[in-house]
Amino acid sequence: MTSLAFSVGNYTPRKLNIPICNLNTAEASNFKFKFSSQNQDSFVSLLQLKESQALLKRREAISAGFLTGIVDVFLQPLTTAAPAEAKAEAEAGAGLCELTVTPSGLAFCDKVVGTGSEAVKGQLIKAHYVGKLENGKVFDSSYNRGKPLIFRVGVGEVIKGWDQGILGGDGVPPMQAGGKRILKLPPELGYGMRGAGCREGSCIIPPDSVLLFDVEFIGKA
């Protein structure tokens, strides 16, 4: 997902009495720190920038992994985009499920209602999924890669439709561990005008695409 929209999380400044410096033993024994209020503010700002950069790197890593999966699937024949069992289950579920459209434009249908705990905002969770374009073409599958996606839910590490579709809100009930849900996302809750996996004028997910996901919420990671 580096086409995902990222947002920097909230940061609570921490006041430090001394800066972190690399001093040898002799220097450390003879050195006295004099740290003005202005320098404290500058140092806190530097820490804030470093932590923000670390958060962005994590989100980029998750996105890079997601897009790598998309590219792998895109380069394979469509019949190998997902294991036969997962694909058959997704198709069968889509035929039996009646989608409920919410005010945000997200539509959902529960194929299986989970019996485990609900996800909590900011929690690290695991989820399997099959992602399709509106024409039914599979563009990615965690089943195909043999491992679920691990991410922090509700903090912008994934597209908006995933956060809302799993955590709930705006007419969407929260998923419980063990649950399986179909999500239909309008472009504004997916990749919007940018699309995803775009290169030399061609996109794996074209701009303004409606996306369909079969999501299996495994639980806390």
Side-chain angles (χ1 to χ4, degrees), residues 89-167:
E89 181 185 350
E91 290 174 350
L96 296 173
C97 254
E98 182 177 350
L99 293 170
T100 299
V101 182
T102 66
S104 69
L106 181 149
F108 73 96
C109 174
D110 285 315
K111 297 191 297 181
V112 176
V113 177
T115 57
S117 301
E118 298 176 2
V120 177
K121 184 177 180 179
Q123 188 178 55
L124 197 65
I125 67 168
K126 297 186 292 186
H128 266 306
Y129 64 91
V130 176
K132 295 176 285 187
L133 299 177
E134 198 170 18
N135 62 10
K137 182 176 181 178
V138 175
F139 60 81
D140 192 20
S141 169
S142 64
Y143 295 103
N144 190 52
R145 292 195 297 279
K147 58 182 180 180
L149 181 67
I150 298 176
F151 65 98
R152 292 194 184 280
V153 67
V155 295
E157 287 191 353
V158 292
I159 52 180
K160 292 180 180 179
W162 263 58
D163 278 338
Q164 183 185 351
I166 293 175
L167 275 181

Side-chain angles (χ1 to χ4, degrees), residues 73 76-87 130 138 140-141 143-144:
V73 172
Q76 296 173 7
L78 183 59
T79 54
T80 62
E85 297 84 355
K87 187 176 179 182
V130 176
V138 175
D140 192 20
S141 169
Y143 295 103
N144 190 52

Side-chain angles (χ1 to χ4, degrees), residues 24-43:
N24 59 39
T25 305
E27 289 173 328
S29 62
N30 297 318
F31 192 85
K32 294 183 178 180
F33 291 106
K34 294 183 179 180
F35 206 42
S36 69
S37 175
Q38 181 179 359
N39 287 337
Q40 270 191 332
D41 293 339
S42 298
F43 187 66

